[in-house]
Amino acid sequence: MRILVTSDTHGDVMSLRRAILAQPQAELVIHLGDGEGDVSLLKPTFSERMFLQVQGNCDWGSALPVRGEFEAQGVKLFYTHGHAYGVKSGDGSLLAAAREREARIVLYGHTHLAREDYQDGIYIMNPGRLSGWEPSYGTIDITEQGILLNIVKLPC
């Protein structure tokens, strides 16, 4: 299964659309906040895809949750924007929350800095941002052979 992970679109609907079109095998799109309206605009166009999203610190008045959990092919994912876990100051609180939920993959945004990592049995991904300079997104492939995280720069 391929998962497309996006964050921090901040009104850049076209970059979000381009990322979705660039990943036709992605069955699931997870948006990690700061772009609730962007996702709402594109969902009808991509009705064959499943969308999950959380609110970011710039999604004012949002009714979306701050965090979410999902299981894909027996692998538990924990996802959040990251502001509620202080990710700009470190990932300790975020990783503790992932461990508490027994997640194998934790996803976050907010910092605008792309990251893929593996620490103490947890895969960690921040897809970066799709708005502004050097936009990027992430893909996760979950297969029988294992889990593969990948950061992709969106061509300008």
Side-chain angles (χ1 to χ4, degrees):
M1 171 182 213
R2 174 161 290 175
I3 301 169
L4 170 62
V5 184
T6 65
S7 189
D8 297 280
T9 49
H10 294 284
D12 193 343
V13 178
M14 291 310 297
S15 288
L16 179 57
R17 183 178 190 280
R18 288 175 47 224
I20 294 170
L21 288 171
Q23 296 297 324
Q25 296 110 338
E27 301 168 44
L28 171 61
V29 178
I30 300 177
H31 191 287
L32 300 173
D34 286 356
E36 177 179 0
D38 307 334
V39 176
S40 296
L41 287 171
L42 290 179
K43 272 184 184 179
T45 305
F46 298 99
S47 58
E48 75 284 359
R49 313 242 184 147
M50 181 179 176
F51 285 82
L52 298 173
Q53 62 188 125
V54 290
Q55 68 170 276
N57 61 301
C58 292
D59 292 321
W60 300 289
S62 175
L64 290 172
V66 174
R67 67 194 61 80
E69 297 175 37
F70 184 77
E71 190 167 312
Q73 293 186 285
V75 176
K76 191 169 193 180
L77 291 86
F78 173 63
Y79 58 98
T80 186
H81 183 62
H83 63 294
Y85 293 91
V87 295
K88 286 188 177 181
S89 299
D91 62 11
S93 180
L94 177 68
L95 291 174
R99 278 189 206 90
E100 181 179 298
R101 290 162 175 80
E102 299 180 349
R104 299 238 352 253
I105 301 173
V106 64
L107 309 171
Y108 71 101
H110 189 54
T111 66
H112 294 194
L113 301 173
R115 174 188 182 198
E116 54 182 306
D117 203 353
Y118 181 81
Q119 197 172 74
D120 297 326
I122 299 175
Y123 292 88
I124 306 163
M125 174 183 274
N126 182 326
R129 66 173 185 264
L130 272 174
S131 62
W133 181 252
E134 296 185 345
S136 62
Y137 62 87
T139 61
I140 302 171
D141 289 305
I142 302 173
T143 68
E144 290 179 14
Q145 290 77 32
I147 298 168
L148 177 65
L149 307 181
N150 191 34
I151 299 295
V152 180
K153 291 190 185 227
L154 188 68
C156 293

